[in-house]
Amino acid sequence: MVTFFVVGLLVHIVFFVSIFDIYFTSPLVHGMTPQYVPLPPPAKRLVLFVADGLRADSFYKPHVNGSTRVPFLRNIIEKKGMWGISHTRVPTESRPGHVALIAGFYEDVSAVAKGWKENPVEFDSVFNESRHTWSWGSPDILPMFAKGATGDHVYTHSYPAVNEDFASTDASTLDTWVFDEVKAFFKYAKENETLLSRLHQDQNVFFLHLLGLDTNGHAHRPLSAEYMDNIGLVDAGIAEIVSIVEEFFGHDDSTAYIFTSDHGMTSWGSHGAGLPSETLTPLVAWGAGVQAAQRDISQHYEDDYMREWKLDTLKRVDVNQADIAPLMSSLIGVPIPLNSVGVLPLNYLNNTQRFKAESMYANSIQILEQFKVKMSQKKETTLSFLFTPFPPLTESAQQNFVRNARVLIDMGQFDKAIRLCEGTITQAMEGLTYYHTYDRYFLGASVVLGFVGWTSYVVLVILKTHISSRGLGRTFMSLGLATTIFLMIQCSPWMYYIYCLLPIPVWYCVFKEFGTFADLISSIPSLPLSKCFGYFVLVSLGIELLVLSFFYRAMLSVGLIVLAGWPIVSGLTEKSKSRTVSWILSCLCLALFPLMPVVGREPNVTLMATVALCAYVLTSTHSSLQRKEGLPLVNQIISWSTLISSFVVPLLSSTRLFHRLLSILLSLVSTFLLLSTGCEALFPPVLSCLMFVWINIEQEALQSKGASSRSHLSSTDFSDSIDITKIRQLRLDDIRRSYFFVFFIIMAFFGTGNIASINSFDPASVYCFLTVFNPFIMGALMMWKVLIPFVIVMCTFESIQVSTQLSSRSLFLIVLVISDLMALHFFFLVQDYGSWLDIGTSISHYVIVMSMTIFLMVLSVFTHILTSKRILVGRRMKMHFR
């Protein structure tokens, strides 16, 4: 069993990692040539203001009395500059948002987990291409652009990380710090000749990262007075900085300004997903080279906040977030970042048609250079007769574009040149996707082949009958050798060898066990075919219901209602009416949770005050934060002590089944309460009630078969050695038990929308433990909150294994088959078209199921320790191992 466990773990790790090699490979390539515009730029310097976490509607929406919160920027929009909406992409987090803004490409999701302050991959940026960049703001954002820059021309000025405190009296002080530092910087520059000389050079960038809005939004919600007042503070600060900059440079009309945000925020103070409130951010540009405000009475905006602000007559130009990087580059005359996929928004430029055509030409060549590198890389690693070039952009088509676009610009036909460049950019972007996904179907077919083979092998292991065949072994060895040679010729990455070779030994094992099918066929007359077929149909429908629950949480409620009727259908009602009623009521109570809003929307402390100490900590912490007095040290100590003790206290209790389960429950519920913000705090107690009823009713089901007794359950001890002679054979009912386990695991995942606290960042869940921003500790605490219902279900399943005298290996294999069938289902549902959110969601479903399979293997070891081990406190302390 240990060998099978290790092999199964490795196989599932390979299947899990495969999704990253197929869908999450870095889109970046290197070796391109920077593209310059052969005309003088309109601006010598650029000032970039990024209000972290600012929603578009919060910015544009006026006060109730009709007045504006941003009088300075409102005046810019009406008289001096262009404005619109910047459309961000998922994940709406600070790091990928700033990368899109400043580097012009949408950072791969997996890169976010590789570091917050450093570059996980090398990429170019506007800051790197500038002559000098001075930046002020958060220590979580500024370093990653400075460290990735060539040379030492990017200067950062950050406040201490401890200042990012969600429980601070007023988080807008983070923005005030930035404004004060910038003012002091320009004051000091007047007295420093070296700095003064650098500031008067061209191609300089000043970056002001304003984190106060994001912090206030998390702490007080975006509709709060603190958040709205912070918007006004940012507007006043920008007005003052603009005045200082203009005065410093003598009003030379050579400074361009851009104001925007990296992402928005939900009404309950989180971000990370794809709601409009998270993906729509404001964009305002003015100054040198930027088009002045224009009137367009034909425009009618559907946004309520636009109509309220009476902006219908002002021309609005929306852009994608990555388009801002080419705009900044064109304004100050630096090459567009090499990996940028942004398209220059010409409507924001106030310049000649020749300048616009030359800029768009440089933009198209810059993207075409990426396409060429991608194509050459794929061509070099693919056999010539298997390589299929991207049809619209063959090498001759690329040469024709370069020649024709250059001729049109030289002839003064700028509009035609611009249209030609725009069309080529569209084709090049499609080509980049084509070559980026070139091996996707090949790798996907290999993984599916391995997946089907592994699932078939697990089924055969359950029905184990050994045979052997040497000729079969030679055949598969030859196939493996041929596959290896093919991959070597193509210079494939080493992971390709694993994906393509893994199906060979798996299918060898399947064919090696082929005799099992003959034994199964010969035993069919003795099996109840109608019952077998009924179980097959029910399990198939049940798996489909679980798949649907990933898209519609309410399907879990439907499933629980169906499960509630199981004792009635199986005839257990006559055996024990009280347990049947308890099962039905527990299922119906738990069915309410998937119908409730997801975690993090409206905190409700009173629902969490069910345990005296935790209630005190929660209430005290909540009141302290409301008064803006910070997190009390005593509360923090109690919270961390509760968390740590939850791993130790169960080990001090008796290993009798119900005694140990009750101890585990009380320890975990206390921690869960401290991590809760609303009605989800009731989920573990209700889930635990159902689990206790499940243990009892399974005992009734066995008793009805004459295989158990009531007294056995009460005397069951987790630490007792298993009597191998009492382990019974597998039955059809065990398939149902395994399905129930998988269903409850999925319920633990999605029952309260608890997973939303991971997908969309909401620090409110961890305020009892810390309020200073620390993504890794906060993420770990939120992850443990998600895992607590898992542990409860796992401990229950272990109890059922022990009490029903069934080999854990047999039950685990059935669970493995069900989980793998779900994972294979989601593998086919992965899509590479539609919106980025649709693609990311489909991939995440596969990752969740695969993670669950791997995780259950590891978690079973943890729950075994939690249930069966004991610390004896007396004359000496020791661990009791059986």
Side-chain angles (χ1 to χ4, degrees):
M1 181 59 180
V2 175
T3 303
F4 183 85
F5 176 86
V6 173
V7 172
L9 183 62
L10 293 175
V11 168
H12 281 85
I13 288 175
V14 171
F15 290 154
F16 176 79
V17 173
S18 70
I19 204 70
F20 293 96
D21 281 327
I22 295 174
Y23 294 98
F24 283 161
T25 54
S26 174
L28 302 187
V29 291
H30 303 284
M32 292 79 69
T33 304
Q35 301 299 314
Y36 294 87
V37 176
L39 294 173
K44 294 178 64 176
R45 67 197 69 90
L46 170 75
V47 182
L48 173 62
F49 302 97
V50 177
D52 201 306
L54 177 59
R55 294 162 43 145
D57 59 345
S58 297
F59 175 77
Y60 290 117
K61 190 178 181 65
H63 283 295
V64 178
N65 59 11
S67 62
T68 178
R69 295 185 178 87
V70 287
F72 175 77
L73 291 173
R74 171 63 186 260
N75 181 66
I76 293 294
I77 291 174
E78 290 184 332
K79 299 178 180 178
K80 297 182 179 180
M82 290 296 295
W83 68 286
I85 298 292
S86 171
H87 294 263
T88 69
R89 290 194 185 183
V90 176
T92 49
E93 299 287 352
S94 293
R95 180 192 172 96
H98 281 89
V99 169
L101 274 170
I102 299 166
F105 73 93
Y106 300 103
E107 189 178 34
D108 188 79
V109 179
S110 61
V112 180
K114 297 178 182 178
W116 285 74
K117 300 181 180 180
E118 298 181 4
N119 292 329
V121 292
E122 295 182 2
F123 62 83
D124 192 18
S125 69
V126 176
F127 294 174
N128 185 45
E129 295 291 350
S130 68
R131 190 179 305 278
H132 300 286
T133 293
W134 289 271
S135 55
W136 298 265
S138 170
D140 300 315
I141 299 299
L142 305 187
M144 67 178 177
F145 293 103
K147 194 161 187 176
T150 56
D152 57 354
H153 63 284
V154 178
Y155 312 101
T156 62
H157 307 274
S158 302
Y159 39 74
V162 71
N163 287 14
E164 299 178 15
D165 190 345
F166 297 106
S168 63
T169 303
D170 187 3
S172 63
T173 54
L174 298 176
D175 299 339
T176 304
W177 184 94
V178 172
F179 293 135
D180 291 342
E181 288 292 315
V182 175
K183 288 185 284 186
F185 171 79
F186 280 105
K187 183 178 180 180
Y188 171 73
K190 295 178 181 179
E191 304 171 358
N192 188 307
E193 291 295 333
T194 303
L195 179 57
L196 186 65
S197 175
R198 290 179 180 176
L199 289 174
H200 279 85
Q201 293 176 332
D202 59 356
Q203 299 182 341
N204 284 338
V205 177
F206 303 93
F207 172 43
L208 283 71
H209 176 240
L210 308 170
L211 187 63
L213 282 164
D214 185 73
T215 308
N216 268 325
H218 286 311
H220 306 291
R221 308 298 181 251
L223 302 179
S224 64
E226 290 84 354
Y227 186 87
M228 295 302 180
D229 291 343
N230 202 157
I231 296 176
L233 182 145
V234 166
D235 180 75
I238 291 175
E240 189 174 5
I241 295 301
V242 170
S243 176
I244 291 174
V245 170
E246 290 297 323
E247 181 182 355
F248 184 88
F249 292 106
H251 298 275
D252 61 355
D253 295 329
S254 297
T255 307
Y257 301 91
I258 290 180
F259 170 80
T260 187
S261 176
D262 55 342
H263 58 74
M265 190 173 293
T266 64
S267 297
W268 54 94
S270 67
H271 54 78
L275 294 176
S277 60
E278 299 173 79
T279 58
L280 302 182
T281 60
L283 173 62
V284 182
W286 71 99
V290 179
Q291 187 66 261
Q294 298 179 353
R295 299 287 172 178
D296 187 352
I297 60 175
S298 63
Q299 290 196 144
H300 296 284
Y301 307 128
E302 297 180 358
D303 315 273
D304 292 335
Y305 51 87
M306 296 295 186
R307 289 197 296 267
E308 291 176 13
W309 213 19
K310 300 179 180 178
L311 294 173
D312 284 350
T313 61
L314 290 171
K315 186 176 182 180
R316 163 185 162 187
V317 179
D318 292 359
V319 302
N320 292 320
Q321 193 172 45
D323 299 342
I324 298 176
L327 174 62
M328 294 190 293
S329 298
S330 298
L331 288 173
I332 58 175
V334 300
I336 296 174
L338 297 176
N339 296 114
S340 171
V341 295
V343 181
L344 178 64
L346 295 178
N347 288 329
Y348 276 80
L349 289 179
N350 180 22
N351 215 311
T352 63
Q353 284 298 102
R354 173 177 288 276
F355 181 86
K356 292 181 179 180
E358 290 283 4
S359 298
M360 185 59 73
Y361 177 72
N363 193 181
S364 60
I365 295 297
Q366 168 259 325
I367 294 178
L368 194 60
E369 283 281 313
Q370 298 180 66
F371 172 83
K372 290 179 180 179
V373 172
K374 278 270 191 183
M375 182 180 69
S376 62
Q377 288 179 349
K378 189 51 58 183
K379 191 173 183 180
E380 291 173 359
T381 58
T382 307
L383 295 175
S384 57
F385 66 91
L386 294 177
F387 179 72
T388 305
F390 183 62
L393 275 181
T394 60
E395 293 185 5
S396 60
Q398 298 172 37
Q399 295 172 358
N400 290 336
F401 160 71
V402 174
R403 181 175 60 254
N404 294 339
R406 188 72 264 170
V407 169
L408 288 173
I409 293 175
D410 293 340
M411 293 177 60
Q413 299 183 24
F414 304 123
D415 291 340
K416 289 185 179 180
I418 290 173
R419 287 194 295 270
L420 179 60
C421 291
E422 291 174 341
T424 302
I425 288 176
T426 300
Q427 291 180 340
M429 296 287 287
E430 294 173 354
L432 285 172
T433 302
Y434 173 80
Y435 286 118
H436 185 60
T437 60
Y438 193 85
D439 293 330
R440 180 169 296 178
Y441 296 106
F442 168 68
L443 293 178
S446 299
V447 171
V448 169
L449 189 63
F451 229 130
V452 175
W454 166 257
T455 306
S456 302
Y457 175 68
V458 174
V459 173
L460 290 175
V461 167
I462 299 175
L463 309 169
K464 187 86 173 173
T465 300
H466 293 282
I467 63 168
S468 62
S469 174
R470 295 182 179 179
L472 189 65
R474 287 194 295 268
T475 301
F476 276 88
M477 285 184 64
S478 301
L479 182 60
L481 181 61
T483 303
T484 303
I485 294 173
F486 173 77
L487 294 173
M488 290 178 63
I489 293 175
Q490 294 212 124
C491 301
S492 300
W494 67 272
M495 284 300 296
Y496 283 35
Y497 289 83
I498 297 178
Y499 301 142
C500 296
L501 293 176
L502 179 62
I504 295 174
V506 170
W507 278 103
Y508 168 72
C509 293
V510 172
F511 280 95
K512 185 179 177 182
E513 303 288 344
F514 188 76
T516 303
F517 288 109
D519 294 340
L520 180 62
I521 292 173
S522 63
S523 64
I524 282 180
S526 62
L527 293 176
L529 291 181
S530 59
K531 191 173 183 179
C532 291
F533 180 75
Y535 262 88
F536 174 77
V537 172
L538 290 175
V539 171
S540 299
L541 292 176
I543 291 176
E544 292 301 316
L545 184 143
L546 290 177
V547 171
L548 286 174
S549 70
F550 279 71
F551 302 95
Y552 310 101
R553 288 174 56 223
M555 294 304 299
L556 291 172
S557 299
V558 175
L560 283 167
I561 293 173
V562 174
L563 261 59
W566 162 62
I568 300 175
V569 175
S570 61
L572 290 175
T573 305
E574 299 177 358
K575 300 290 183 181
S576 178
K577 293 183 180 180
S578 61
R579 284 188 171 89
T580 300
V581 172
S582 299
W583 171 266
I584 293 174
L585 291 178
S586 299
C587 285
L588 294 179
C589 288
L590 196 65
L592 297 176
F593 286 92
L595 303 177
M596 295 179 181
V598 297
V599 172
R601 301 207 170 182
E602 292 297 334
N604 191 332
V605 176
T606 58
L607 287 174
M608 297 180 285
T610 57
V611 177
L613 183 60
C614 293
Y616 162 75
V617 173
L618 285 166
T619 307
S620 175
T621 300
H622 178 75
S623 301
S624 180
L625 296 181
Q626 287 289 92
R627 297 192 301 268
K628 301 181 181 179
E629 295 176 356
L631 174 61
L633 179 61
V634 174
N635 294 18
Q636 191 174 16
I637 293 174
I638 293 175
S639 297
W640 282 105
S641 300
T642 303
L643 173 64
I644 296 171
S645 65
S646 66
F647 297 98
V648 180
V649 169
L651 300 178
L652 299 175
S653 65
S654 169
T655 53
R656 291 293 180 92
L657 189 145
F658 286 120
H659 288 86
R660 178 54 64 93
L661 287 182
L662 185 60
S663 178
I664 293 172
L665 167 64
L666 293 177
S667 298
L668 295 179
V669 166
S670 297
T671 304
F672 195 92
L673 290 175
L674 292 172
L675 291 167
S676 297
T677 60
C679 58
E680 84 276 8
L682 299 176
F683 182 71
V686 176
L687 177 64
S688 301
C689 290
L690 180 58
M691 294 298 100
F692 276 110
V693 176
W694 186 25
I695 295 173
N696 282 279
I697 206 166
E698 287 292 358
Q699 200 70 12
E700 289 291 343
L702 276 181
Q703 186 183 1
S704 66
K705 305 293 183 180
S708 182
S709 63
R710 289 181 183 269
S711 60
H712 175 72
L713 188 61
S714 60
S715 61
T716 299
D717 195 312
F718 283 114
S719 63
D720 287 344
S721 299
I722 298 176
D723 187 351
I724 299 178
T725 61
K726 293 183 179 180
I727 295 179
R728 60 179 177 80
Q729 296 296 319
L730 200 66
R731 298 172 180 170
L732 286 177
D733 266 358
D734 295 320
I735 300 177
R736 179 205 30 91
R737 292 185 178 95
S738 300
Y739 176 78
F740 278 14
F741 170 68
V742 176
F743 181 90
F744 291 135
I745 285 290
I746 300 299
M747 185 68 190
F749 240 120
F750 296 107
T752 62
N754 207 11
I755 195 67
S757 63
I758 299 297
N759 288 339
S760 55
F761 175 70
D762 184 5
S765 297
V766 300
Y767 280 171
C768 287
F769 294 86
L770 76 166
T771 55
V772 176
F773 179 68
N774 188 313
F776 299 106
I777 295 179
M778 288 179 168
L781 289 171
M782 291 179 181
M783 183 59 71
W784 178 238
K785 177 185 176 183
V786 172
L787 296 183
I788 285 175
F790 264 87
V791 176
I792 294 174
V793 176
M794 285 294 296
C795 290
T796 303
F797 195 56
E798 174 125 347
S799 303
I800 290 176
Q801 290 178 26
V802 173
S803 62
T804 58
Q805 297 177 335
L806 179 65
S807 169
S808 59
R809 176 176 180 268
S810 300
L811 279 177
F812 176 77
L813 291 178
I814 299 174
V815 170
L816 194 61
V817 171
I818 295 174
S819 300
D820 285 347
L821 288 175
M822 288 179 59
L824 185 60
H825 200 132
F826 282 119
F827 190 88
F828 285 113
L829 290 177
V830 170
Q831 61 185 58
D832 58 353
Y833 56 88
S835 69
W836 200 99
L837 179 60
D838 294 335
I839 297 171
T841 300
S842 64
I843 293 174
S844 68
H845 288 166
Y846 174 78
V847 172
I848 287 172
V849 176
M850 287 305 301
S851 300
M852 182 181 71
T853 305
I854 298 172
F855 176 69
L856 291 180
M857 294 181 183
V858 179
L859 191 61
S860 62
V861 177
F862 172 74
T863 53
H864 177 72
I865 295 173
L866 198 61
T867 55
S868 63
K869 308 306 176 186
R870 185 180 183 186
I871 299 176
L872 298 178
V873 181
R875 287 173 296 180
R876 58 177 176 166
M877 183 173 292
K878 62 181 181 179
M879 288 293 291
H880 173 70
F881 293 95
R882 65 185 183 189

